[in-house]
Amino acid sequence: MEQLNKAGQSSVFRNGHIGHGERVARLERAVVRAQEKRESMPFTIRIVRENADLEKVVEIRRMAYGRHLPAFAQKLGIEECDRDPGVAVLLAESKLDGAPLGTMRIQTNEYAPLAVEQSVRLPDWLAGSRLAEATRLGVAGGGVGRVVKVMLCKALWLYCEQQLVDYMVITARAPLDREYEGMLFEDVFGEREFLPMAHVGGLPHRVLAKDVMAARRRWEEAKHPLFQFMVHTHHPDLDLRTSDLSFQQEPVRCPEAPQIAYGR
């Protein structure tokens, strides 16, 4: 018997052990959330839980990449790493008809090196940290796509907080790199240095990172226009309950377990 399991959760959640400091931090965040403005969107964002969701993800990836990289877009399909432990694939869907509007893949380095590490060696201040890399970002065109993109970035940050990640890492080609710079991501290597990335067809990208725990303070200090949206607005349409798509045998505690597990 096979099922979609939830092995992709961080070790904190798998071990069922949460330290005192993390309990305090979660209580503080709960108090902040209770004071937040509530805002609904015409779409939902959730972590995919089945193959039908991944088909929608591929649809929006092809559409988004096809606008700028049509040859690369044609090669896109469900990727093996979409199902890996430690990976969460986000999917934005229209409330009206369920159509896919955006997607992002988030991979932590808990189980394997990040995709960016196929191309570069990260500096020591990152290599020794708990990291999450956002890849395969794609959104629908027009105004709704711009809102979806911002919401996916908020989802990335909240997911990283939830998973106790130290730094968010992204790679961005020009001119999209300026958008992340505007969201206070900083260069990992030289200032505005572009490097070829194996996981995006060898195209040159900037490697940027952002301190997860310092994000709230930095947004506030910078009087960032997205501060209220990111920090003090609750979006009930954002669902970050974790799940992964790796297939493993389900443990069945009964004498017939071997026969049941293999369909005999």
Side-chain angles (χ1 to χ4, degrees):
M1 184 182 298
E2 293 179 331
Q3 70 168 11
L4 301 184
N5 65 69
K6 297 183 180 178
Q9 297 180 8
S10 77
S11 56
V12 171
F13 297 99
R14 291 201 316 275
N15 294 339
H17 177 266
I18 301 173
H20 175 72
E22 175 59 15
R23 289 180 186 275
V24 171
R26 290 189 189 185
L27 287 171
E28 290 175 348
R29 288 198 291 269
V31 171
V32 170
R33 282 195 297 269
Q35 301 171 344
E36 290 175 342
K37 179 180 75 172
R38 184 182 177 93
E39 183 176 73
S40 293
M41 291 289 176
F43 55 85
T44 61
I45 293 179
R46 61 185 175 88
I47 297 174
V48 303
R49 291 179 171 82
E50 57 188 23
N51 283 335
D53 296 334
L54 285 178
E55 294 292 347
K56 285 187 171 185
V57 165
V58 170
E59 179 183 341
I60 193 67
R61 282 176 182 170
R62 287 175 176 166
M63 182 189 305
Y65 279 84
R67 291 195 292 268
H68 308 286
L69 304 167
F72 182 72
Q74 290 178 5
K75 302 175 184 177
L76 290 173
I78 296 176
E79 299 173 85
E80 193 62 36
C81 54
D82 288 329
R83 299 189 177 96
D84 282 349
V87 169
V89 179
L90 303 180
L91 174 64
E93 298 168 292
S94 168
K95 287 183 179 179
L96 179 64
D97 58 7
L101 298 176
T103 183
M104 173 190 285
R105 182 171 64 215
I106 307 172
Q107 178 207 350
T108 70
N109 64 343
E110 181 172 1
Y111 296 92
L114 301 180
V116 67
E117 294 181 83
Q118 298 172 26
S119 306
V120 297
R121 180 176 179 178
L122 296 175
D124 291 343
W125 61 274
L126 276 182
S129 301
R130 182 165 169 77
L131 308 176
E133 181 182 5
T135 59
R136 293 293 186 263
L137 172 64
V139 297
V144 67
R146 289 191 289 273
V147 178
V148 169
K149 182 185 289 187
V150 175
M151 279 293 291
L152 285 169
C153 289
K154 176 170 181 172
L156 167 64
W157 171 56
L158 292 177
Y159 181 84
C160 288
E161 276 202 331
Q162 173 182 302
Q163 297 295 320
L164 308 183
V165 167
D166 299 314
Y167 291 95
M168 300 175 276
V169 179
I170 61 99
T171 62
R173 60 178 177 80
L176 299 180
D177 59 308
R178 298 300 183 92
E179 295 183 17
Y180 294 103
E181 190 177 311
M183 296 183 73
L184 307 184
F185 279 79
E186 299 179 328
D187 282 296
V188 171
F189 298 104
E191 183 176 357
R192 295 182 179 169
E193 181 179 0
F194 288 81
L195 300 167
M197 292 291 126
H199 65 299
V200 281
L203 296 173
H205 282 57
R206 276 173 79 182
V207 183
L208 302 122
K210 187 171 184 176
D211 187 324
V212 174
M213 295 305 294
R216 295 169 187 262
R217 173 181 53 79
R218 292 195 61 214
W219 276 322
E220 185 172 22
E221 290 175 351
K223 295 182 172 56
H224 199 283
L226 289 177
F227 173 65
Q228 292 296 329
F229 181 89
M230 289 287 192
V231 177
H232 291 305
T233 305
H234 172 56
H235 292 101
D237 302 309
L238 184 55
D239 179 4
L240 294 177
R241 286 174 292 179
T242 54
S243 180
D244 75 37
L245 292 176
S246 58
F247 290 85
Q248 295 182 1
Q249 294 179 19
E250 175 186 5
V252 182
R253 305 304 182 191
C254 66
E256 297 81 9
Q259 288 74 28
I260 293 174
Y262 292 97
R264 296 176 184 170

